[in-house]
Structures are given as structure tokens and as C-alpha cells.
Amino acid sequence: MPLDTAHPLNSLGFAKSPAETRVVVAMSGGVDSSVVAAQLAEEGYDVVGVTLQLYDHGAALAKKGACCAGRDIHDARRVAEEMGFPHYVLDYENVFKDAVIDEFADSYLGGATPVPCIRCNERVKFKDLLETAKDLEADCMATGHYIQRKMGDGGAELHCATDAARDQSYFLFSTTAQQLDYLRFPLGHLPSKDATRALAAKYGLSVADKPDSQDICFVPNGDYASVIRKLRPEAAAPGKIVDMDGKVLGNHDGVINYTIGQRRGLGIGGLADPLYVVKLDADTARVVVGPKEMLATRTVPVREINWLGDEPMMSRSEWPIAVRVRSTRPPTDAVLRPISATEATVELTLPEEGVSPGQACVFYDRDSSRIFGGGWIHKG
């Protein structure tokens, strides 16, 4: 947007007053999105709070402490009342089930390790909710994610949060350039979560001391297996635990109880060297185990790539970048070799253990905080 000297840009980047700028705030009921809404309301913006009801809060899947649970809807509504702006709850249960939960179950059964929070951002929050914000004639949509949107020569860029410990870039790599034009992330520049809670206290918010949610919202206590059993009762088929040569070492009660890289709880004690889960074969109901070195890989096939670089990805045969192959690991140097506009092979400089199909591979600029997008790891 060109600079209008008569109307300087407001804090959200629009050449008009905050009162003339409508912003939809995606409110989960937690402290982060509540602070965003309260801050923008205090600055005089035309704030509309929206909370998504994503699953049946009376069902066994719901749990205390997860985002989007019944308590969180109450908390979001209360913050809106405290700060004096309208708040709406939208029923997205069917969309969430079709776009996120069902794929989570199917991917897990297929031997992958899915990341449903990414799919939720991609297919629900930054798609359907974003379109709802436009229907409400909002100028933009703001969220409480810890990530930064910065303007560059080629337009809006995605950058890591200032606080590396809170950075959520791994979960937001699929944000498209078009979505980035419309989105705002007011917390990305803050130095720490303590700074966010200090703002919550400043605004007198009832959620100022509310604990952070830790798990996937529909997975109680991180117990993936129990959720899969509920969604796909046939999934707990027993099978064999085998080594790389196919030798049977033991039995299991369903591949859904295992993840790539798992060592403990295999039930195959008495062996000279420790073994790890290196492959899950849902078709044959086999859990394949091997030595730790079998987990290490340097070549990562990636597809469904969302590219956020200024130049087209296919404009070069190689891109020296940094990548993250798990949310809990820091970026590591790699080379990206495009195959098509949405597929590539990533070669890691140093081998990584536990690279699993279903996880994301996120691309970073080696020399700055910029995110170049990413894609999904597949079996190749």
C-alpha cells in the first residue's frame, strides 16, 4: 500500500485511523490471542472477536487445558466483555473433523506422524475463518501466534518470532503469500511470554495467569493411540515386531501404539543392543525396529510445498537454506533441490535421526529470520 502522507500508516499498516480499521481477532481463549484483542481494542481499532468451536466439548476427546475447549470459549467471551467489543462463536465442528481429525487418523494408520495443528491453521483458521473475516468486511485478521510479518521489497514476508523459545514458524509454514497479505501477528516481536503476560495484567484480563495449552486440542494427555481407537476401532490390530531382515522379535497390539524413533516400551527385552522403531508398516501390521544409526538420514523427500521466496523455487537448481524437520529441533543447514513447483529433495548437511513421513520440513534463510515456506515429508 503506498504511503498516504495525509493519513500515516496505523500500527496494522493501513492509511487510516484505527477507528476506521476493522480487525477480526481469532480468539482461542488463551492469554496470547486475548492480549492481541485487548491491545487492539485499547488502541481504538474496530475489533471483532471470533472463536471457533472445533469439536464436541462433551465428547471424550475434549479435555481441560486444550485450546478451543468449552472453558476457552467462555474465557474468550469474557475478555470481549471486559474490553467492550463484539464476540462470536462459530461452529466449525464438521469442517474440523473432515479437514483435520480424519486425516490425522488416516495418516497415523498409514505409518506417518501427522502434525494436525499445521493442517488446522492451513485448512480452517487461515482458510475458512479468514474468509469469514472478509465477509465481515474486516481489513485484516489478527492472531496470537508468535511469528512476524515484515514488509520487504517483494511484499509481505514471514519471519521467525523474536523469542526463539516461543517461535511458531514450524506450524505456520503453509501460510500462503495471499493469506500473509491479510494476516497480522502483533505478538511476534515481543521478547518473551512474560512480556505477553505483563500486557494481560496491564489490561486487567481474567486470563492473565491462565496456563498455556500443551497438547493437540483433541488428543487427551498426548495419548494418540486412544484417539485413533475411538476414531478407527479397527486400527488396534495386533501384529509382529520385526528387525530389518524380517525376523520376528515379538508381538504388538497395534501400530498406532508406536512412533518412529521410539525405544522404550517395545516389549522385546533381552537383546544385546538397544533397538528403535525405524518404520511402521500399517498394511502388514508390522513394527520394524533396528539400531539407532538406521534412524539417521540425509535425504528428505518433500511435497505439497508452499514457497515464500521472492523468486520462484524452480528458478534455481539448488537453494542453500536451513531446515527444521521436527518442531522441537533447531534449523540445520541443507540444500533444497526442486523437482517441480511443489516437490523437492532436501539434502541435509549432517544426518538427522527420526525424520518421519507426515512431519513438516520448514525452510529458512540461513542469514536472516525469514521463512521461505516448507512442505510435507513423505516416504519417497
Side-chain angles (χ1 to χ4, degrees), residues 106-166:
D106 293 338
S107 295
Y108 210 85
L109 289 181
T113 308
V115 191
C117 297
I118 298 176
R119 289 302 196 193
C120 182
N121 290 325
E122 173 187 322
R123 297 176 174 177
V124 182
K125 294 177 182 176
F126 290 177
K127 181 176 179 287
D128 293 332
L129 177 55
L130 190 145
E131 289 304 317
T132 296
K134 291 181 178 179
D135 290 342
L136 291 171
E137 299 183 343
D139 294 283
C140 64
M141 186 174 88
T143 80
H145 289 106
Y146 287 87
I147 198 165
Q148 297 188 81
R149 175 189 182 274
K150 297 182 179 182
M151 294 305 296
D153 293 338
E157 300 174 353
L158 201 61
H159 285 255
C160 295
T162 297
D163 180 6
R166 305 295 303 181

Side-chain angles (χ1 to χ4, degrees), residues 46-70:
D46 178 9
V47 173
V48 178
V50 175
T51 300
L52 302 183
Q53 179 171 317
L54 297 180
Y55 53 84
D56 182 355
H57 305 300
L61 296 183
K63 68 184 182 69
K64 181 180 179 181
C67 71
C68 314

Side-chain angles (χ1 to χ4, degrees), residues 277-299:
V277 176
V278 298
K279 181 181 179 182
L280 298 172
D281 191 336
D283 292 337
T284 61
R286 287 193 163 195
V287 174
V288 183
V289 298
K292 189 175 184 179
E293 54 265 27
M294 293 298 298
L295 290 170
T297 185
R298 287 186 58 191
T299 303

Side-chain angles (χ1 to χ4, degrees), residues 9-50:
L9 299 183
N10 59 35
S11 64
L12 293 178
F14 297 98
K16 53 185 175 180
S17 70
E20 298 173 302
T21 306
R22 175 170 293 175
V23 51
V24 164
V25 179
M27 299 183 68
S28 69
V31 65
D32 299 325
S33 57
S34 295
V35 164
V36 168
Q39 179 174 296
L40 294 175
E42 187 182 68
E43 291 178 14
Y45 286 96
D46 178 9
V47 173
V48 178
V50 175

